[in-house]
Amino acid sequence: MSGTGHAADDLGDELAAIILDQVERLLAQHLTPALLAACDGAAGAASWPVGLWTALTESGLPLALVPEAAGGIGLEAATVARLIRRCGRAALPLSLPETIVGAALWASVDGNVNEDAVALVPGGSTVRLVRQGDGFVLDGRVAQVPWGGSVAALLLDAVDAAGVPQLVRIAGPGTICDTHHNLAGEPRDTLDLTGCTVAAEDVRAAPVWATGAGVSSVESVGAWVRAQQMVGALETCLGSALDHAQERQQFGRPLAKFQAIQHMLAEAAGHVAAASAAADLAAACWGDPRFVLATAIAKARCGEAAGHVVAIGHQIHGAMGFTQEHPLHRATRRLWSWRDEFGSDALWQERIGRAVCAGGGAALWPMLVRLRGGAG
Amino acid sequence: MQSFRFSAEKLPAEAEETRVAIRAFLDGELEAGRFVPHRTSWTTFDAGFSRRAGAAGFIGLTMPKAYGGHDRSGLVRFVVTEEMLAAGAPCGAHWIADRQSGPQILRHGTEAAKRAILPGICRGECSFGIGMSEPNSGSDLAAVRTRAVRDGDDWVINGSKIWTTNAHQVDYLLALVRTGEPGPDRHGGLTQFIVDMAVPGVTVRPILDLSGHHEFNEVFFTDYRVPDAMRVGAEGAGWDLVTEELAFERSGPDRFLSDYRLLVELIDRIGPDPDRFQAVETGRMVAQLTALLGMSASVARLLDQGIVPGVEAALVKDVGNGFERAVPEIARRLVPVEPSLTAQGDAFREALGGVTLRAPSFTLRGGTREVLRGVIARGLGLR
């Protein structure tokens, strides 16, 4: 690599470090227990913390993953993955991660991007795209849309008259029929999109790199987001368990001194390490033909880790971790929710398994090599 | 908590170029019918295979040219090892020497030992066994009692080692023996020596494993004389050296690819149209395996930069061994067959039988799962 290349890398690294530090500082400053409680729909609250959204986004963060040529910051996907993990660690009650990848997905099909908050709509295939004059109109209802009622724009893969999925961006949430919450109290809304008009330029052929057999582009990037968020929440859960084990005294010594506890934490650490390695690979595959498979693997591995790490985390925290008073639940209720959103681990495992079996045993190893950027 | 030091950086171009070459070599071996993938593994001792691999330039890759090596990066070696494992190649005659004994001698051996031994390792003609465990110290290496006593320019060794894989076929052992008192931390007084198996004073007793194979042995030393030039590292430095050696031993892809051929046979037996249970479980295994490959390559990258990531290496082995142990248990639930070692012509039943009988060793060799979890716990700051 040339000297100039190194200099450019260093500059990129420096910018990434500045942005990550800034986000970390804002999260620490704003995400007080009181604010988190006020945003927890499971406790009957639920609000979109406007002040925090403004603080986080005023330096252009929604366009972090959009290339500079398209007006974005142009961070590497690996850096954005770290940023999203920090949001996951801190239990950020905003759709900033979806906004960042939604903007990048839209930019990848040459859509005009802006900094509006975005929701990624799962289950877009039930929505029909009907031609109307120069543009289109939507017909259909979608359920369980993360932050759907709170954002300025929706991205979904709706189906055109020929049955082909098209990536569609619409302003506003349509008609909010119902607001549910996931186990973490994050809004998951039912929206009626029937009658929403869509300009012709807001309908794009779904990007091939993010689309797979039975997988829409919004579903795959949504799974990518959840995998990165889960790594953050897994780190929070493990970190809290490590701290608690060292602080909590029982039978005259810290929990950490009991071999049974040490082994539980070592097992949890193994799951966290494997989950983050899988999510790292998915981050490295953003925007390229390996994306859907790498994302499938990340979502599957992080989802599997979630169940184990949460179980161990709660067991180590004892009764205290089972209360609203201890912050552990902010990570564990999210992990229980996120592992099932944008496709559960079992669903993604099934997709991986079908692809692998269709290819036959001899094709598995070349696939594993290609996934890591080798020549297969 | 700190994040782990893994990264998804791509393997360098020179490593991918070597992948093409090692595949061509392995394809040639397979076409010549020199090994049967589902019946062999990396512990299978085949001197001919290792000699041919050495002649083709695939052993001693990270060794300096001055000692017959190839001066390549650890990531080139990583690619060669994972390709050999994925192919099910019989690597037992060079694996230990190439993976840990040779590098250990290079780092800490005398010039005489390096000149005498490393070129043979690089040619694939010199094999090693690991002389760590003893009858009364399995995982607890600080309890080693086999003793070496200085006598002029030699040391005289008495005692025994056990669970020594392929001791009846290897040329040398790298043995950890007691040369002094343990001291308060129990880690003192241990020294490593290169033991030449052709010299009188060392005898080998076979121990058959569950499947009736002879890989394990007990090794006895009776007034065995070894020259001081065959000492590796300073007198009493054995504990630290072994700890370093184990980071190399524990983090490689051999810690989760031991039964890779069973996974291949399973996929072929399931066929192209799996039911949901088969698809889910196959996908789960592939996701786990992909994560492990990423973790293991990351550790190889760190080791190549001179960083010894003890916790990450231990995590690879613990998570990896858990995966290896699970594969036969999952496979038998996906395809209803009865495992057998003699199901001629039914590769899946044979592979399942072989792996089922070998699987208990996966979480024992190279440090038991329980010891590894202790290492991880220490790395996490718990002890």
Side-chain angles (χ1 to χ4, degrees):
Chain A
M1 193 183 288
S2 72
T4 358
H6 275 301
D9 280 354
D10 290 347
L11 271 181
D13 287 350
E14 210 172 300
L15 177 62
I18 291 169
I19 291 174
L20 287 169
D21 280 354
Q22 186 190 8
V23 168
E24 189 85 63
R25 205 170 47 246
L26 287 169
L27 293 176
Q29 183 189 333
H30 286 263
L31 284 181
T32 58
L35 181 82
L36 285 164
C39 297
D40 189 340
S47 69
W48 174 272
V50 177
L52 178 54
W53 175 266
T54 308
L56 280 169
T57 57
E58 62 191 358
S59 50
L61 213 49
L63 304 186
L65 189 52
V66 172
E68 280 178 280
I73 301 178
L75 290 184
E76 286 193 13
T79 306
V80 169
R82 284 164 66 197
L83 196 158
I84 293 175
R85 288 176 193 187
R86 295 198 185 190
C87 297
R89 265 195 215 175
L92 174 69
L94 288 168
S95 73
L96 180 64
E98 285 99 324
T99 298
I100 292 173
V101 302
L105 179 68
W106 192 239
S108 82
V109 291
D110 297 322
N112 285 321
V113 293
N114 60 38
E115 298 186 16
D116 289 346
V118 173
L120 301 173
V121 179
S125 63
T126 60
V127 178
R128 291 191 315 127
L129 190 61
V130 183
R131 178 65 73 186
Q132 189 183 65
D134 290 343
F136 297 87
V137 65
L138 295 180
D139 177 21
R141 244 167 112 103
V142 282
Q144 308 284 96
V145 180
W147 312 99
S150 315
V151 297
L154 304 181
L155 269 180
L156 69 155
D157 294 273
V159 178
D160 68 13
V164 179
Q166 304 284 338
L167 184 58
V168 175
R169 182 182 163 108
I170 60 170
T175 306
I176 303 170
C177 306
D178 218 341
T179 292
H180 294 284
H181 294 94
N182 66 10
L183 293 179
E186 297 175 320
R188 298 297 182 253
D189 303 318
T190 303
L191 309 176
D192 190 352
L193 304 181
T194 305
C196 288
T197 55
V198 191
E201 76 251 28
D202 287 336
V203 176
R204 306 272 166 163
V208 174
W209 63 269
T211 308
V215 182
S216 75
S217 65
V218 166
E219 190 178 14
S220 68
V221 300
W224 189 91
V225 169
R226 289 292 181 271
Q228 307 301 342
Q229 288 174 298
M230 276 197 275
V231 173
L234 286 165
E235 289 172 350
T236 298
C237 184
L238 175 60
S240 180
L242 289 169
D243 290 345
H244 184 78
Q246 282 162 306
E247 287 157 14
R248 174 76 170 164
Q249 302 264 338
Q250 289 284 274
F251 307 102
R253 50 188 172 144
L255 291 180
K257 297 298 165 199
F258 291 88
Q259 196 174 40
I261 301 287
Q262 292 175 358
H263 286 198
M264 288 162 72
L265 286 166
E267 188 184 343
H271 280 290
V272 176
S276 57
D280 284 343
L281 177 66
C285 295
W286 173 269
D288 81 26
R290 302 169 295 161
F291 178 77
V292 177
L293 179 58
T295 297
I297 285 166
K299 187 68 164 65
R301 191 63 190 88
C302 292
E304 182 177 9
H308 293 286
V309 175
V310 166
I312 290 170
H314 272 296
Q315 188 67 18
I316 288 191
H317 282 82
M320 183 46 78
F322 191 62
T323 67
Q324 289 277 338
E325 292 167 34
H326 194 286
L328 178 66
H329 68 89
R330 303 216 186 279
T332 58
R333 287 190 295 138
R334 278 174 176 75
L335 287 165
W336 278 321
S337 301
W338 291 345
R339 64 178 177 174
D340 288 329
E341 294 179 0
F342 295 103
S344 70
D345 34 301
L347 179 62
W348 286 106
Q349 286 158 357
E350 181 181 349
R351 288 169 174 156
I352 300 163
R354 290 199 185 282
V356 166
C357 290
L364 175 59
W365 185 253
M367 183 197 96
L368 291 169
V369 171
R370 277 196 306 277
L371 252 182
R372 291 176 287 143
Chain B
M1 61 162 284
Q2 286 294 305
S3 298
F4 296 107
R5 290 169 288 182
F6 296 116
S7 85
E9 220 176 298
K10 274 208 305 198
L11 292 164
E14 61 159 347
E16 293 299 341
E17 285 156 19
T18 307
R19 190 188 299 284
V20 177
I22 181 66
R23 280 194 184 167
F25 171 77
L26 291 167
D27 286 347
E29 291 287 304
L30 277 170
E31 277 160 26
R34 291 187 175 128
F35 69 93
V36 181
H38 71 270
R39 291 198 192 130
T40 51
S41 78
W42 58 268
T43 57
T44 307
F45 198 96
D46 180 340
F49 175 83
S50 294
R51 197 166 48 244
R52 291 189 295 275
F58 296 116
I59 301 178
L61 282 160
T62 59
M63 289 280 170
K65 289 201 168 123
Y67 300 111
H70 302 278
D71 261 328
R72 311 295 295 276
S73 83
L75 295 172
V76 172
R77 183 178 171 275
F78 180 86
V79 163
V80 168
T81 58
E82 70 170 11
E83 288 290 333
M84 285 189 178
L85 290 160
C91 300
H94 71 268
W95 203 256
I96 306 297
D98 184 62
R99 179 181 73 188
Q100 61 192 88
S101 314
Q104 188 78 330
I105 292 166
L106 177 69
R107 284 190 300 271
H108 303 291
T110 62
E111 192 54 38
K114 290 190 226 181
R115 297 212 171 277
I117 289 169
L118 298 183
I121 289 179
C122 297
R123 287 195 304 271
E125 293 173 357
C126 173
S127 52
F128 266 77
I130 302 168
M132 291 192 196
S133 296
E134 294 188 4
N136 293 310
S137 73
S139 295
D140 179 14
L141 286 179
V144 157
R145 287 199 307 202
T146 294
R147 183 169 281 277
V149 177
R150 187 74 191 238
D151 182 22
D153 287 341
D154 290 347
W155 294 79
V156 179
I157 301 180
N158 281 284
S160 63
K161 292 287 172 185
I162 200 165
W163 318 129
T164 318
T165 299
N166 293 324
H168 58 304
Q169 307 191 79
V170 298
D171 301 301
Y172 297 95
L173 298 186
L174 189 53
L176 181 71
V177 303
R178 183 153 296 292
T179 52
E181 293 312 307
D185 66 356
R186 300 181 71 236
H187 297 166
L190 295 169
T191 307
Q192 281 192 311
F193 289 96
I194 301 164
V195 168
D196 183 342
M197 298 299 283
V199 169
V202 57
T203 54
V204 174
R205 178 181 78 84
I207 303 174
L208 300 187
D209 65 21
L210 291 185
S211 55
H213 278 123
H214 175 199
E215 279 184 6
F216 274 161
N217 298 276
E218 188 168 5
V219 179
F220 301 92
F221 297 96
T222 310
D223 294 332
Y224 176 92
R225 296 188 82 84
V226 55
D228 188 52
M230 292 295 123
R231 174 168 46 78
V232 176
E235 184 182 341
W239 180 269
D240 287 342
L241 264 59
V242 162
T243 305
E244 190 180 331
E245 185 182 334
L246 286 171
F248 285 83
E249 179 177 345
R250 286 174 173 164
S251 62
D254 37 356
R255 295 311 174 189
F256 51 86
L257 289 174
S258 301
D259 50 17
Y260 180 75
R261 299 309 303 186
L262 172 60
L263 184 56
V264 171
E265 296 298 341
L266 170 68
I267 290 163
D268 283 340
R269 177 57 71 97
I270 290 171
D273 189 22
D275 64 30
R276 182 169 184 274
F277 178 43
Q278 291 169 327
V280 167
E281 288 297 289
T282 302
R284 188 161 74 92
M285 287 190 282
V286 169
Q288 292 179 343
L289 178 54
T290 308
L292 281 162
L293 283 164
M295 292 164 71
S296 183
S298 292
V299 175
R301 195 174 288 113
L302 291 171
L303 288 170
D304 209 40
Q305 294 162 2
I307 300 164
V308 180
V311 188
E312 284 87 348
L315 282 167
V316 172
K317 184 173 187 307
D318 186 37
V319 178
N321 291 165
F323 170 76
E324 288 186 324
R325 286 293 299 267
V327 170
E329 296 302 309
I330 295 167
R332 63 176 284 280
R333 286 165 55 79
L334 300 188
V335 178
V337 298
E338 295 175 16
S340 168
L341 294 182
T342 53
Q344 295 295 332
D346 188 334
F348 176 65
R349 285 179 63 201
E350 269 192 32
L352 183 58
V355 169
T356 300
L357 292 174
R358 280 204 305 276
S361 73
F362 300 163
T363 42
L364 298 173
R365 63 189 182 190
T368 65
R369 172 170 52 209
E370 288 64 33
V371 165
L372 264 290
R373 291 196 173 164
V375 172
I376 295 165
R378 183 173 291 113
L380 293 170
L382 298 176
R383 43 192 289 192

